[in-house]
Amino acid sequence: MPVTLTEEQQDFANAIGEFARREVPDKARRDELTAEGPHSMEIYRKMADQGWLGIALPEAYGGSGGSMTDLLVFLEETSYHQIPIGGFGTTIITAAALERSGSEEQKQQLLGEVINGELLAISMSEPGAGSDVGGLTCKAEKTENGWVVNGQKTWCSNAHISKHILLVARTSTDGGKHDGLTMFMVPTDADGLEMHGIETMGGKEVNDLYFTDCHLPADAVVGTEGQGWRQLMAGLNLERMILAGLMLGLARRAFDDTVAYVKERHQFGRPVGSFQAMRHRIADNATELAATKLLVHDTARTIDANPGALFPREASMAKLKATELAKHLSLEGMQMLGGYGYATEYGMERLLRQSVVSTVYGGTSEIQRDIIGKSYGL
């Protein structure tokens, strides 16, 4: 069946496009906004003024209470139009964890800040624990006045531009490896927290975090002590769909830019897109893009129909397919643009840099395939 949006959702998509054409009209303006990294606070605050940053948050805290499909429209369109708000994804993942598990005081304070344009980060990975979250060793020990944290975290996206970090630390070694994990909300200016950026091909995105006798108050705990793993698992639909939506938009951009180029570029007296070898590649890519869009939107509708349920197979399929496609179409675009695909002038290399890591973060493609396989009893 074709992907159809409601009239309100289509108007929302159109409004995002108009915003992009007004605020980020060309590559020069985008380069200016992203000189310090892939997130522009200037643009982000303007989106907050539009009331868009609370799309996935409850109305009780100032959000718009949007559905998964509403959020997907926002993600897909902002990514397609290359609006530089790289911090939104991790912020909404973190905010949703707060909304599910946080205290009323935490929700009132932090969700309101998110809606007004502040960023949040989440820190799980460690040098020795990436895909295996149960292998975390960063330790939080209880004291008379709260907690003290010691250990190292890594690959923490957007911590350097966020006000708070949702930290997952080990508070007990009893039980299985997924037991004894607890979530804490940590201010980024906390004493005992040291942050160092990690240079990546995508720019200033991720950080190493070092905790040395970092004292936290008792009310820094988010949810229930020792239940951090279960609290995190409740958000898997959202995390995977955020990544699927962002990469679906990027895949659309890579495809459209490639088609526009092969129509205009002439060699041997004709557009290069008219050669059969090129035309067939475009046809295959168009088919894959259409299939992926159907998969991602159908998964969003499935989640909307039963918001309280987990859909590990469907959400993993959406994340796997959209991220792999975005990487593939960016590479295809670079090949079909020839030398111009490699040049920064045309922007295809930017799309490749943005997409290539998507098959790694948020659960690698290998992990997603493992989850899907296990869902069939394998």
Side-chain angles (χ1 to χ4, degrees):
M1 64 177 183
V3 171
T4 57
L5 301 177
T6 65
E7 183 177 349
E8 291 79 6
Q9 288 166 344
Q10 188 58 61
D11 288 343
F12 186 33
N14 293 340
I16 294 170
E18 292 171 4
F19 178 92
R21 287 185 287 273
R22 181 175 67 251
E23 300 294 339
V24 197
D26 51 34
K27 182 180 180 297
R29 176 61 173 154
R30 185 178 297 108
D31 288 346
E32 178 186 349
L33 291 167
T34 57
E36 296 300 320
H39 183 87
S40 165
M41 288 305 299
E42 176 186 343
I43 294 297
Y44 202 59
R45 295 281 164 74
K46 289 182 178 180
M47 299 197 95
D49 292 342
Q50 297 289 327
W52 293 343
L53 300 185
I55 181 67
L57 298 178
E59 294 178 359
Y61 301 101
S64 57
S67 65
M68 183 66 77
T69 303
D70 295 332
L71 176 60
L72 180 58
V73 169
F74 180 78
L75 295 164
E76 187 179 346
E77 293 303 315
T78 54
S79 182
Y80 177 80
H81 292 288
Q82 293 290 281
I83 300 174
I85 53 168
F88 177 78
T90 52
T91 295
I92 291 302
I93 291 169
T94 309
L98 275 171
E99 192 273 321
R100 289 190 307 271
S101 304
S103 67
E104 189 61 28
E105 292 76 14
Q106 289 169 335
K107 289 188 276 192
Q108 288 289 350
Q109 175 196 348
L110 297 171
L111 297 186
E113 290 183 358
V114 166
I115 291 166
N116 290 325
E118 296 296 341
L119 296 170
L120 297 173
I122 185 168
S123 181
M124 289 185 284
S125 295
E126 297 178 8
S131 297
D132 182 13
V133 179
L136 299 183
T137 60
C138 180
K139 184 184 296 185
E141 296 180 299
K142 192 174 290 187
T143 67
E144 291 183 3
N145 300 316
W147 300 84
V148 61
V149 182
N150 283 283
Q152 181 184 351
K153 291 288 185 178
T154 192
W155 307 119
C156 185
S157 300
N158 304 308
H160 58 296
I161 52 176
S162 300
K163 290 183 67 175
H164 292 85
I165 300 167
L166 183 62
L167 170 70
V168 184
R170 183 161 297 285
T171 52
S172 172
T173 55
D174 296 334
K177 68 178 185 178
H178 291 127
D179 297 317
L181 298 177
T182 303
M183 300 196 304
F184 298 87
M185 190 53 65
V186 183
T188 51
D189 60 357
D191 291 337
L193 168 58
E194 188 176 348
M195 190 182 308
H196 295 285
I198 301 172
E199 293 296 326
T200 73
M201 65 187 293
K204 299 177 182 178
E205 300 176 285
V206 292
N207 306 270
D208 282 319
L209 306 179
Y210 300 89
F211 293 90
T212 306
D213 293 334
C214 179
H215 290 268
L216 302 175
D219 62 4
V221 172
V222 176
T224 304
E225 179 184 340
Q227 297 298 308
W229 171 258
R230 293 166 183 82
Q231 292 168 186
L232 288 169
M233 291 303 99
L236 287 183
N237 286 346
L238 178 66
E239 179 179 7
R240 291 170 188 164
M241 290 305 294
I242 284 174
L243 298 174
L246 290 171
M247 289 303 112
L248 175 59
L250 191 147
R252 283 176 48 207
R253 168 55 64 190
F255 178 80
D256 285 356
D257 287 355
T258 300
V259 171
Y261 179 85
V262 300
K263 285 181 176 179
E264 296 173 357
R265 174 69 169 172
H266 283 65
Q267 289 288 279
F268 306 102
R270 54 194 283 202
V272 297
S274 68
F275 291 96
Q276 186 183 70
M278 195 77 78
R279 192 166 63 241
H280 284 191
R281 288 172 78 169
I282 292 293
D284 286 342
N285 291 339
T287 304
E288 287 297 309
L289 182 57
T292 303
K293 189 175 179 74
L294 284 170
L295 171 64
V296 174
H297 279 263
D298 183 65
T299 302
R301 291 194 178 99
T302 299
I303 294 169
D304 286 335
N306 195 351
L310 288 179
F311 295 94
R313 177 192 298 171
E314 294 84 352
S316 287
M317 284 180 172
K319 195 273 182 183
L320 172 65
K321 184 62 176 175
T323 56
E324 290 288 351
L325 181 69
K327 182 170 68 174
H328 173 71
L329 292 189
S330 299
L331 283 167
E332 283 282 274
M334 181 167 284
Q335 184 70 28
M336 285 190 255
L337 266 66
Y340 292 112
Y342 194 61
T344 58
E345 175 187 356
Y346 277 71
M348 191 60 69
E349 57 81 32
R350 176 195 289 269
L351 298 180
L352 178 60
R353 285 188 283 112
Q354 290 175 332
S355 64
V356 73
V357 73
S358 69
T359 60
V360 176
Y361 60 39
T364 64
S365 290
E366 290 75 17
I367 289 293
Q368 303 306 324
R369 292 185 178 100
D370 205 42
I371 292 168
I372 295 164
K374 286 180 178 179
S375 77
Y376 287 99
L378 301 175

